[in-house]
Amino acid sequence: MNVWLAIALTAGCYAVKLAGLLVPAGALERPLVRRLAGLLPVALLAALTAQQTFGAGQQVVLDARAAGLAAAGIALLLRAPFLLVVGAAVAVTAGVRALGG
Protein backbone atom coordinates (compact mmCIF):
# COMPACT_ATOMS: atom_id res chain seq x y z
CA MET A 1 0.00 0.00 0.00
CA ASN A 2 2.76 2.49 0.86
CA VAL A 3 4.57 1.87 -2.44
CA TRP A 4 1.41 2.62 -4.43
CA LEU A 5 0.79 5.73 -2.38
CA ALA A 6 4.31 6.95 -3.11
CA ILE A 7 3.86 6.23 -6.81
CA ALA A 8 0.51 8.06 -6.88
CA LEU A 9 1.95 11.09 -5.08
CA THR A 10 4.94 11.17 -7.41
CA ALA A 11 2.66 11.01 -10.46
CA GLY A 12 0.46 13.75 -8.99
CA CYS A 13 3.44 16.04 -8.37
CA TYR A 14 4.66 15.46 -11.92
CA ALA A 15 1.18 16.22 -13.29
CA VAL A 16 1.01 19.51 -11.37
CA LYS A 17 4.47 20.49 -12.63
CA LEU A 18 3.48 19.60 -16.19
CA ALA A 19 0.23 21.58 -15.90
CA GLY A 20 2.22 24.61 -14.79
CA LEU A 21 4.46 24.35 -17.82
CA LEU A 22 1.49 24.06 -20.17
CA VAL A 23 -0.14 27.33 -19.06
CA PRO A 24 -0.02 29.82 -21.96
CA ALA A 25 2.28 32.80 -21.47
CA GLY A 26 -0.58 35.20 -22.16
CA ALA A 27 -2.48 33.92 -19.13
CA LEU A 28 0.49 34.64 -16.88
CA GLU A 29 0.77 38.26 -18.06
CA ARG A 30 -2.63 39.30 -16.71
CA PRO A 31 -2.43 41.78 -13.80
CA LEU A 32 -4.65 39.69 -11.51
CA VAL A 33 -2.56 36.57 -12.06
CA ARG A 34 0.66 38.50 -11.42
CA ARG A 35 -0.76 39.95 -8.20
CA LEU A 36 -1.97 36.56 -6.96
CA ALA A 37 1.37 34.96 -7.83
CA GLY A 38 3.12 37.59 -5.73
CA LEU A 39 0.81 37.06 -2.74
CA LEU A 40 0.75 33.26 -2.80
CA PRO A 41 4.18 32.68 -1.17
CA VAL A 42 3.29 35.06 1.68
CA ALA A 43 0.02 33.23 2.33
CA LEU A 44 1.72 29.83 2.26
CA LEU A 45 4.47 30.97 4.63
CA ALA A 46 1.89 32.43 7.04
CA ALA A 47 -0.10 29.20 6.99
CA LEU A 48 2.99 27.08 7.63
CA THR A 49 4.08 29.37 10.47
CA ALA A 50 0.65 29.21 12.11
CA GLN A 51 0.48 25.42 11.77
CA GLN A 52 3.95 24.91 13.23
CA THR A 53 3.36 27.41 16.05
CA PHE A 54 -0.13 26.49 17.21
CA GLY A 55 -0.47 22.87 16.11
CA ALA A 56 0.45 19.70 17.97
CA GLY A 57 -0.98 16.69 16.20
CA GLN A 58 -4.73 17.19 16.05
CA GLN A 59 -4.81 19.82 18.82
CA VAL A 60 -4.32 23.56 19.02
CA VAL A 61 -1.79 24.53 21.68
CA LEU A 62 -0.56 27.79 23.14
CA ASP A 63 2.99 27.33 24.42
CA ALA A 64 6.47 28.88 24.25
CA ARG A 65 6.42 28.92 20.45
CA ALA A 66 3.53 31.40 20.52
CA ALA A 67 5.48 33.67 22.84
CA GLY A 68 8.46 33.55 20.46
CA LEU A 69 6.22 34.36 17.51
CA ALA A 70 4.76 37.30 19.43
CA ALA A 71 8.26 38.57 20.22
CA ALA A 72 9.21 38.31 16.55
CA GLY A 73 6.05 40.19 15.58
CA ILE A 74 6.84 42.99 18.02
CA ALA A 75 10.42 43.19 16.73
CA LEU A 76 9.08 43.42 13.17
CA LEU A 77 6.70 46.20 14.16
CA LEU A 78 9.69 48.07 15.60
CA ARG A 79 11.45 47.57 12.24
CA ALA A 80 14.33 45.59 13.74
CA PRO A 81 16.85 43.89 11.44
CA PHE A 82 16.05 40.30 10.49
CA LEU A 83 18.76 38.74 12.66
CA LEU A 84 17.49 40.67 15.67
CA VAL A 85 13.95 39.45 14.96
CA VAL A 86 15.13 35.85 14.88
CA GLY A 87 17.27 36.38 17.97
CA ALA A 88 14.36 37.87 19.90
CA ALA A 89 12.11 34.96 18.96
CA VAL A 90 14.74 32.42 19.99
CA ALA A 91 15.52 34.18 23.27
CA VAL A 92 11.87 34.55 24.29
CA THR A 93 11.02 30.97 23.33
CA ALA A 94 14.00 29.63 25.27
CA GLY A 95 13.18 31.85 28.25
CA VAL A 96 9.57 30.71 28.43
CA ARG A 97 10.64 27.07 28.11
CA ALA A 98 13.24 27.54 30.84
CA LEU A 99 10.55 28.95 33.12
CA GLY A 100 8.50 25.81 32.55
CA GLY A 101 6.06 27.04 29.92
Side-chain angles (χ1 to χ4, degrees):
M1 178 73 175
N2 289 337
V3 172
W4 289 110
L5 180 62
I7 291 171
L9 288 175
T10 302
C13 289
Y14 182 76
V16 169
K17 178 78 170 180
L18 183 62
L21 293 173
L22 295 176
V23 173
L28 298 176
E29 297 300 323
R30 295 181 181 155
L32 178 64
V33 174
R34 285 179 165 258
R35 181 165 165 77
L36 289 176
L39 295 175
L40 190 61
V42 175
L44 288 173
L45 183 59
L48 288 171
T49 301
Q51 193 275 333
Q52 290 293 314
T53 301
F54 302 111
Q58 296 292 326
Q59 298 177 340
V60 176
V61 295
L62 193 61
D63 59 3
R65 297 175 293 179
L69 183 63
I74 291 169
L76 283 172
L77 287 174
L78 296 174
R79 301 204 183 269
F82 180 72
L83 287 177
L84 189 62
V85 171
V86 173
V90 168
V92 170
T93 301
V96 171
R97 286 186 178 169
L99 294 173

